[in-house]
Amino acid sequence: MSSHADRLAALREQLKSDRLDGFVVPLTDEHMSEYVGSYAQRLAWLTGFEGSAGSAVVLPEAAAIFTDGRYTLQVRQQVDGAHWSFQSVPDTSIASWLKEHAPEGARIGYDPWLHRRDWVRQAAAALAARGATLVPVERNPIDRIWGDRPEPSKASLVVHPERFAGRSSADKRQTVADWLAGNKADAAVLAALDSIAWTFNVRGTDVSHTPVALAYALVHSDGTADLFVAGEKVTPELRAHLGNGVRLHDRAAFEEALGELKDKTVAVDPERSVAAIFEALDKAGANIVELRDPTVLPRAIKNEAELAGQRAAQSRDGAAIARFLKWVDETDELDELKASDRLEAIRREDPSLKDLSFDSISGFGPNGAIVHYRSSEKTNLKFEPGSLYLIDSGGQYEDGTTDITRTVAIGEPSQEMRERFTRVLQGHIAIDTAVFPKGTRGGQLDSFARRPLWEAGLDYAHGTGHGVGSFLSVHEGPQRIAPVGGAYAGGDEPLAAGMILSNEPGYYKAGDYGIRIENLVLVVPVEVEGAEKEMLGFETLTFAPIDRRLISAEMLSDKERRWVDNYHAEVVRRIGPSLGAAERGWLEAACAPL
């Protein structure tokens, strides 16, 4: 079944056999993960879409794919518009589209292990308005027709040392137990893979670029836990690390274990747990309390060991970026794939690198305007003078997770490129230098980054910043710098000291070029003379040159100029000592004062 058109036709035939008139295909797994293992890449297999967020609906006579503004260009490049209509989120939603397009009285299938309960309720209500019903399936119909579907990873779990974690697993489980006592609950369901990795101080290789293992957990009010993970993934070292306080079970036994919680008060996170978990607990007669996963906030607020590791990883990664930028400057006949391969090779010289933190976004010229672009042999562009190269990349080091974007002039940039780059830089500086009261939400800061672009009638269709894990997910919640409401919302979490975020405003001229400047920053307390409340600000964590050739210095205020010069002086101080003489000479020139 080679073509995506054949796969769509086969799915429609399977739906007929299953007595269904449609099916919803999300891009996630049983853990509500953003990045998923190859076995769960159902949307990509069916449609060809390779972005990290999206969903689709298949009906007998229509099919639609839903993406947000980050993927407007990419989805049209990768998905055949002859078979799929393109729907923009949040202008529409699956529920509203089904309300308009589902046949009267239709039976629309969904996999209850791949959707949140609130989505199920919304979609069911929308379908009811047309006399149609939402039907849970026992087995996903895509899995029935995907003949060479990969098996879930069998790789062993590995212990994450306490010198990097900063706290023992027993201590973390006790924190959860204390939280359960405070909420008068008996147990908490942990379904998010990064929550499980953090709680048990384990890591895995089951998902590309995110060091997690496929597992579920129940943590109890006495501090003990049940961990559900495939038996072949368990090693003697893991058993010794977990100790007597953690009972091990096969991952397939999780649903049955939920069925044994009759009359127990069980905390479940409705954002991070699928509908099937709620259904199993309801069926068992458990008392469900909907509360946020108790590990989310302690995981987001990094401890001293995690911060020390993050700073060390950032310094090594910044040196790798500097070496790469020098190579780009001095190498002829480059293309997107050659460049990203070279950067990966430089990073892999560091023995502490375990993986990239995501597929590098290596975009030249018009491809740089595709926010989450992924270069391929088909789309790969050669570098030509007079345009821009955007490289967004990161590493998973055992002591920290990195994420950095730099935009590089190839040849002589136009005045428009320099002017728009400088506006993006001004927005970046506005976030980096922000001082704000404790309790401020990321959404309140988002417009700081957009103001210089707004003043020229420009904007960008993504959030300004996302949380970052500690040798964990490169996109970690709950903190974000993003508008409250809309496609890339999520900026409603109060920022707290110890949280790490990206600072990445951008500008994208479709069909021409893209600009983004991204560093990671740490929320820290700030002393303000005469302040009447606690104040916070940011400490910069990422140190690598920003292309001075793209800065229109005359547009900058004195304060902004000082920021650029001070930042570049700190780049030289932090990463210069780890470079060779020729590399250090290049770095000093790249970081010369404006």
Side-chain angles (χ1 to χ4, degrees), residues 119-132:
W119 178 89
V120 172
R121 288 169 171 165
Q122 290 168 11
L127 286 168
R130 286 185 76 83

Side-chain angles (χ1 to χ4, degrees), residues 24-25 54-59 63-68 85-102 108 115 118-127 130 486-487:
V24 181
V25 187
S55 52
V57 180
V58 175
L59 299 176
I65 185 163
F66 299 75
T67 58
D68 64 47
S85 69
F86 303 112
Q87 304 297 322
S88 180
V89 176
D91 298 342
T92 188
S93 67
I94 288 175
S96 59
W97 190 88
L98 281 170
K99 187 175 181 179
E100 191 175 331
H101 292 88
I108 306 297
H115 294 276
D118 63 344
W119 178 89
V120 172
R121 288 169 171 165
Q122 290 168 11
L127 286 168
R130 286 185 76 83

Side-chain angles (χ1 to χ4, degrees), residues 89 94 101 206 227 244 293 349 366 372 374 442 504 533:
V89 176
I94 288 175
H101 292 88
D206 293 356
L227 181 62
N244 296 331
D293 176 335
E349 292 175 20
H372 277 206
R374 184 177 172 187
E504 51 179 309
K533 53 174 66 178

Side-chain angles (χ1 to χ4, degrees), residues 33 65 115 123 133 143 156 175 178 209 237 272 310 344 377 395 462 498 581:
S33 306
I65 185 163
H115 294 276
T133 53
D143 299 353
S156 299
T175 298
D178 294 343
H209 310 320
E237 292 80 7
R272 294 168 179 84
Q310 183 68 243
E344 181 174 350
E377 293 293 345
H462 58 76

Side-chain angles (χ1 to χ4, degrees), residues 300 302 306-319 399-404 406 428 432 466-470 498-503 518-524 538-544 563 567 570-571 574-575:
K302 308 297 186 273
E306 291 171 319
L307 291 175
Q310 183 68 243
R311 292 185 181 105
Q314 291 289 348
S315 289
R316 299 193 308 275
D317 199 66
D399 50 353
T401 300
T402 69
D403 184 2
I404 175 173
R406 289 296 182 264
H428 181 95
D432 189 272
H466 56 81
V468 177
S470 180
M499 289 178 170
I500 294 172
L501 296 114
S502 65
N503 171 12
E518 178 185 17
N519 287 344
L520 299 189
V521 293
L522 169 69
V523 183
V524 293
F538 294 117
E539 171 194 327
T540 308
L541 295 173
T542 305
F543 291 95
W563 184 94
Y567 175 76
E570 191 65 12
V571 169
R574 292 203 183 214
I575 69 175

